[in-house]
Amino acid sequence: KRFETLITIHVHQRDIFHDLVMQHIKSSQDFEWLKQSRFYWNDKDQIVISITDVNFVYQNEYLGCTDRLVITPLTDRCYITLAQALGMNLGGAPAGPAGTGKTETVKDMGKTLGKYVVVFNCSDQMDFRGLGRIFKGLAQSGSWGCFDEFNR
């Protein structure tokens, strides 16, 4: 399982490097480079993850060596869109047909940023008290909440 995760990440990095070379990207300000998840070590002994012009401090949540999503161009676009929303202190609501990986993409972005993501399957049984307790717990822990099937 560990090797699968490492291979998945490294194959994606290989493909990105190949694309950057083929497109003759030479500037660190080129969008093709900036749109990638880039990891930097700053002078405050923190890891900073940059996606486009948005910086996230790595949260050091130990998640273990878990499976990672195969990163496709669509996944990259979702990361960019979610990063821009989070950079403006907003949330994200990926939309699309069932079974296309919206929840998994949010969970994988959380893993990339070292954030724990709690997935809630919404139903008509949920009321404002239950949601209040969920939001209170998310705020206290600093975790992300992913509300699956929210439209039902």
Side-chain angles (χ1 to χ4, degrees):
K1 189 175 185 176
R2 286 185 213 156
F3 294 119
E4 257 181 63
T5 301
L6 288 172
I7 289 169
T8 300
I9 292 168
H10 286 297
V11 164
H12 175 66
Q13 290 173 342
R14 180 203 63 194
D15 294 344
I16 292 303
F17 182 74
H18 179 264
D19 291 346
L20 292 172
V21 169
M22 296 309 290
Q23 294 173 12
H24 305 290
I25 305 302
K26 293 184 174 36
S27 171
S28 64
Q29 298 305 308
D30 195 297
F31 182 72
E32 291 301 316
W33 170 250
L34 291 176
K35 74 178 186 179
Q36 305 305 321
S37 300
R38 302 172 325 279
F39 293 75
Y40 300 104
W41 186 270
N42 70 10
D43 53 358
K44 297 177 188 170
D45 285 340
Q46 296 173 322
I47 297 172
V48 176
I49 300 114
S50 297
I51 302 172
T52 60
D53 61 343
V54 183
N55 296 324
F56 301 95
V57 175
Y58 187 76
Q59 297 299 304
N60 297 310
E61 177 73 36
Y62 179 72
L63 303 170
C65 188
T66 57
D67 289 338
R68 294 296 298 268
L69 206 57
V70 174
I71 302 171
T72 65
L74 181 59
T75 313
D76 280 335
R77 283 198 299 263
C78 283
Y79 275 25
I80 292 167
T81 305
L82 290 170
Q84 290 297 306
L86 292 169
M88 292 184 275
N89 295 317
L90 300 171
T100 54
K102 299 175 294 291
T103 301
E104 292 304 316
T105 300
V106 171
K107 286 170 47 180
D108 198 63
M109 185 171 178
K111 289 176 190 173
T112 300
L113 302 178
K115 278 274 196 190
Y116 186 63
V117 180
V118 184
V119 178
F120 299 97
N121 287 310
C122 299
S123 70
D124 56 354
Q125 310 292 319
M126 295 179 85
D127 63 349
F128 70 95
R129 286 183 198 87
L131 279 173
R133 284 193 297 272
I134 289 170
F135 287 132
K136 195 159 100 176
L138 291 172
Q140 288 176 350
S141 67
S143 302
W144 282 0
C146 182
F147 296 90
D148 212 4
E149 305 295 336
F150 190 73
N151 57 342
R152 294 188 186 214

